Amino acid sequence: ARPGGQPPVRGLRASPRARSAMPSWVIDRYGRNDVLRFTRDMVFPTIHFPNEVIIKVHAASLNPIDLSMRSGYGATALNMKRDPLKLKSTDTEFPLTLGRDVSGVVMECGLSVSYFKPGDEVWAAIPPWKQGTLSEFVVASGNEVSFKPKCLSHTEAASLPYVGLTAWSAVNQVGGLNRSNCSGKRVLILGASGGVGTFAVQLVKAWGAHVTAVCSHDASTLMKKLGADDVIDYKSGNLEEQLKTLPLFDFILDNVGGSTEKWALDLLKKWSGATYVTLVTPFLLNMDKLGVADGMLQTGVTVGSKTVKHLFKGVHYRWAFFMPSGPSLDEIAELVDSGKIQPVIDQVFSFSEVPKAFLKLEGGHARGKTVIDVISKK
């Protein structure tokens, strides 16, 4: 005990200089690109649970969900997840930091973290209800974090976690494909040149599938390089007709949604366990429009009726979502380090150019990912 009989102060395994603020890109309201604001006074993240780690961000990347969140999509559901028991006195999620991907170095560990230690190079995808990675530091749960692939730089590594886990959830956890059952299966990927698509093409290819990739003509060289067997340009005539000339598929991954759903399921082999998985779901939108309970009900009714309708036709219809997972990232890191999956990066921006990077993403037609080099002082 210290003089005066006071108990000793409980110590965290912390870095020597206590910090209170850090540079970060935040939004204070939802809207277009002009809501992005750079600040040097963002509250420094703290470890609230013993399983958390603080990561110094070396690189981050942008995903379509960042555009959606900037505009306020999913705010109802995400706020419920941020504060399920309504414990916070303030009623606001702002200032909010966007960015889901991080590659960086562990700075501090909560007391129950045994798997990581300060100085470890790690990567992670931070779920959308937590403060994001367009910041100097970010806090993550130990079970969301994984050791970064050794063969990649931080900038390369930051391009993969969110899209990798989204594709992994769709193909493996929801779609049921894996290393041992994928060989020789015919897989169709709609919207193949974006972040999730470029990852999914490589993943099912690594597991031995025959891959048909749908993208625009200028991405066809990239698709071939990633291993796609057939590449179809959706602009060169009627896509549905082009695809109908091919043999039927065992698995379809849809990153596009919209009217595609009306005809794509007819391209599956009937009564053979063939599955259509879409990543374009109205879940968060329903909750925004209808409120939490009705939104969940409406979403359940929609997916339920579609599933039943398609089961009668002999095919499986599924929805998939991003799921944060350190263990899945461990498996992805293994595929990366063995050379089976490579990052596909469209453009790298410095930390001062975050609004420019958002505009680039908003322009669409990405060939792979938009990455932010956070640590460079440009």
Side-chain angles (χ1 to χ4, degrees), residues 7-63:
V9 180
R10 188 172 73 108
L12 258 183
R13 289 189 270 159
S15 48
R17 56 198 174 106
R19 297 275 301 263
S20 59
M22 62 175 177
S24 194
W25 281 94
V26 298
I27 61 173
D28 305 298
R29 60 193 162 85
Y30 297 117
R32 300 194 65 76
N33 222 33
D34 57 353
V35 299
L36 289 164
R37 170 173 74 89
F38 179 74
T39 174
R40 295 196 173 281
D41 301 318
M42 186 59 178
V43 181
F44 195 81
T46 48
I47 288 175
H48 288 292
F49 299 99
N51 70 332
E52 290 181 327
V53 298
I54 292 177
I55 300 166
K56 182 170 175 61
V57 181
H58 283 237
S61 83
L62 294 185
N63 296 283

